[in-house]
Amino acid sequence: MRTYSGHSSAAASNELYRTNLAKGQTGLSIAFDLPTQIGYDPDHPLARGEVGKVGVPVSHLGDMATLLDGIPVDSMNTSMTINAPAAWLLALYVAHAETQGVDRAALRGTVQNDIVKEYLSRGTYIFPPEPSRRLIVDAMAFCADQVPKWNPINVCSYHLQEAGATPVQEISIALATAVDILDAVRDSGQVPPEQFEAVVGSVSFFVNAGIRFIEEICKLRAFTEMWQTITAERYGVADPKMRRFRYGVQVNSLGLTAEQPENNMHRIALELLAVTLSKDARARSIQLPAWNEALGLPRPWDQQWSLRLQQILAHESDLLEYEDIFAGSHVVEGRTAELVQAATVELDAIVDAGGAFASIDELKGRLVASHAQRRGRIEAGDLTVVGVNSFTESEESPLGGASSILRPDPAVEASAVEAIERWRVDRDQAAVDGALADLRAAAESGANVMPASIALAHAGGTTGEWAGALREVFGEYRGPTGVAAAVGARAITPGFADVIERTSNAAGGPPRILIGKPGLDGHSNGAEQIAVAGRDAGMEVIYGGIRMTPDHIARIARDEDVDLIGLSVLSGSHLQLIADTVQELRKHDVDAPLVVGGILPEADHAELYDLGVARIYTPTDFDLTTIVSDMAELALANR
């Protein structure tokens, strides 16, 4: 039982972890902040406004020691949600254990380490696909030899559903990723054939459970059946334990609503049952979101509420006392068979096309199109979401108000910058330089990077220095947006047709709008859907994807002479990033109206309007037709 947590600083997160463990949590699930996830130290210019917002910053061995102070790593099962720099965070964890006198072989835990879903949905990638896969292979080979109880990859279909994947897409893309990685490990020559079965057995999965209760049960049964077939037939795994579909789950966040957010606990409970009722396809570990995650960062009390839900199910109900209660159900078995058949066709197509890593552009387009279709169904009322497009009458919630979310102290970033400057002054710089040279040499030669990474951790190297060295060797990657492939995927409603008529007949041509994502936030689903809807509405949309600096946004707005600028921020760094963007727009004499969308607490709206923001859109504004119509009107009025 876990709650995904971490914020502000290593010391504050350590206090939270100890509190949660005392309440009955049985493992750690560490959330890292965006600079850490993308390989930047707190004092990097791109980290501005992002430090400690969506997780804990971990820059070096000292941070890892503070984060785990008083927590016995030899007996703790630790999950780290980290991907592009997964090899580095694993190196820090191993180095910390060694400073505590703990043998590597005793360590138990998981690094997510699934970069494909980062390219497709979550955005915290650094390097191009091929070197990224190589880093995963190195971590898996290292763990097979040195840290056998560790799960070196957690193939993550969770975020695929968040990006709009259907159950068939979720199953096929996740399994294609696992196959691609395992084939690469096998072909690398780093793992002896007699150890390969254990490598297959070390692969775990992280799955989403949505609100379609029966279908989600069947999806997990289909996953289990197909993984058994793949491990037996493709890899010849004989040991039934090594063929298990081992998965953890966080239930759906896409379906959490900002409208009537107290209803989210009912959704979470139902989704929890979907991954526990079927014993033959039951989750091995569970972490639940909090009821208010559509509003902002949950407080400790909110996390406790979700933890208690798990404990009630496990200790008060009789759910765990019986064999699989769906065995023999013609409904469940029939739907499972349908999913297996459809997902097998999709999986074979991805493998035949060269695998998941070679198919990123195509898969991204499919997910954006699928998400556009889902959004269109909600707007049209074909898909009911209680409190959003039906049953919207509501009493004021006693759970609401400005205090219903956690707000990290703005001083956290300045403190982190000062701390890392002190760390660099106090370390042996010659040792760090030597370790960085060894890391570059390993990356260039094709040697496994894990030993050099652990040595760099012991020497005092930082997250930014590790990633920077590998950026020099591998380069950086800019992922596809999928927008072009999704244009036209949504149904054209009467209201949408009115917008099209207005933009197509506009004097001077259709409005030209710029959609930007400042900062490091990679959750681009909202920005992509606005871009798709804007193009479908006849506007000229300029959207270059994630990680744009305020200066970059301002320069594009100036050079393209745009009629409107829309910014998307979901990481909690909106006040800083929007203020910086407004400053840059003024510097470049751009006077186009500015609208913003994302997780924007109501308490901040007045300050945003004072900055000059013309419109604010939050998750309660689900109707894209209304948003796009509003944006078109603003853009045309600006002319």
Side-chain angles (χ1 to χ4, degrees), residues 135-165:
L135 290 174
I136 298 170
V137 169
D138 283 359
M140 294 183 73
F142 172 79
C143 287
D145 185 54
Q146 298 286 317
V147 199
K149 297 178 183 178
W150 195 270
N151 300 310
I153 185 172
N154 187 230
V155 178
C156 186
S157 72
Y158 175 87
H159 298 90
L160 302 178
Q161 187 178 125
E162 299 289 296

Side-chain angles (χ1 to χ4, degrees), residues 12 16 55 114 130 209 268 388 495 537 613 635:
L16 177 62
D114 174 5
E130 289 299 321
I268 291 167
V388 175
V613 171

Side-chain angles (χ1 to χ4, degrees), residues 416-439:
V417 170
E418 292 174 5
I420 199 165
E421 290 173 350
R422 289 196 305 271
W423 175 266
R424 294 194 189 107
V425 169
D426 293 340
R427 68 188 182 178
D428 182 344
Q429 189 60 45
V432 173
D433 292 342
L436 284 168
D438 291 343
L439 176 63

